[in-house]
Amino acid sequence: MYEDILWCYLISLYANKICLIEESTYYYKIREGSITTGKNSYKKIESLITIIDIMKNDWNKNKIDIIYKKEFGKFITFWRFNTALLLLNYSGKPKERNFFYKKINQSTFLQISEKNFYNLLLKLPFPVFMFLISPMYYIYKRIK
C-alpha cells in the first residue's frame, strides 16, 4: 500500500531538480470499498509507518542533501500528520493506535520536521489530538 508515496520519495533522491507546488494536481475517484473509504486497517497504517521510517533512516544516514532540508521537513511532516489523521478512523485496538501515534512522534522527527502548526498538533497527547481534530476530520471525510 502507498507504493506511490515511496516511489515519489525514492525518485526524488536521484533527481537533479524538484519543484513543490501548493495546488492539487492529483484527484481520487472515491468509490465504496476503496482505500480512501472505510476504516483504516493495521496494514494501511503500518505501510505508512514503514515509509516514514525509510525517510527517517535516510535522514539519519545523511542521504538527504542539506540544501533540501526544509523541503524534506515539509514532506515528512505532511506524511506524519496524514498518518495521525488516519489513526482517527483506525479499525484496530486503541493500544495499537497509541503505539502508531507514538511511533510517528519519536524524538528523531523533532530534528527533521519543520516547525509549523502541524508539528505543534503532533506534539499533543493522542487523546487531545483526537478531541481537537476529530470533528473537522469527520466533517471533511463524511465518515459515519
Side-chain angles (χ1 to χ4, degrees), residues 28-93:
Y28 290 96
K29 181 177 181 182
I30 298 174
R31 62 185 187 287
E32 197 63 37
S34 73
I35 193 172
T36 58
T37 61
K39 294 282 186 181
N40 298 310
S41 67
Y42 187 95
K43 184 178 177 182
K44 189 175 182 180
I45 302 297
E46 188 178 47
S47 293
L48 280 169
I49 295 287
T50 299
I51 293 167
I52 290 169
D53 281 345
I54 288 168
M55 290 188 273
K56 179 185 77 171
N57 290 335
D58 283 354
W59 176 269
N60 290 337
K61 292 176 182 175
N62 295 316
K63 288 187 177 181
I64 311 302
D65 193 319
I66 196 72
I67 63 171
Y68 299 117
K69 182 178 179 178
K70 185 175 180 179
E71 289 77 12
F72 182 80
K74 286 180 181 181
F75 189 74
I76 202 164
T77 297
F78 173 82
W79 286 110
R80 288 176 54 233
F81 189 75
N82 189 38
T83 305
L85 289 177
L86 294 177
L87 289 172
L88 297 176
N89 192 32
Y90 180 62
S91 63
K93 299 174 184 172

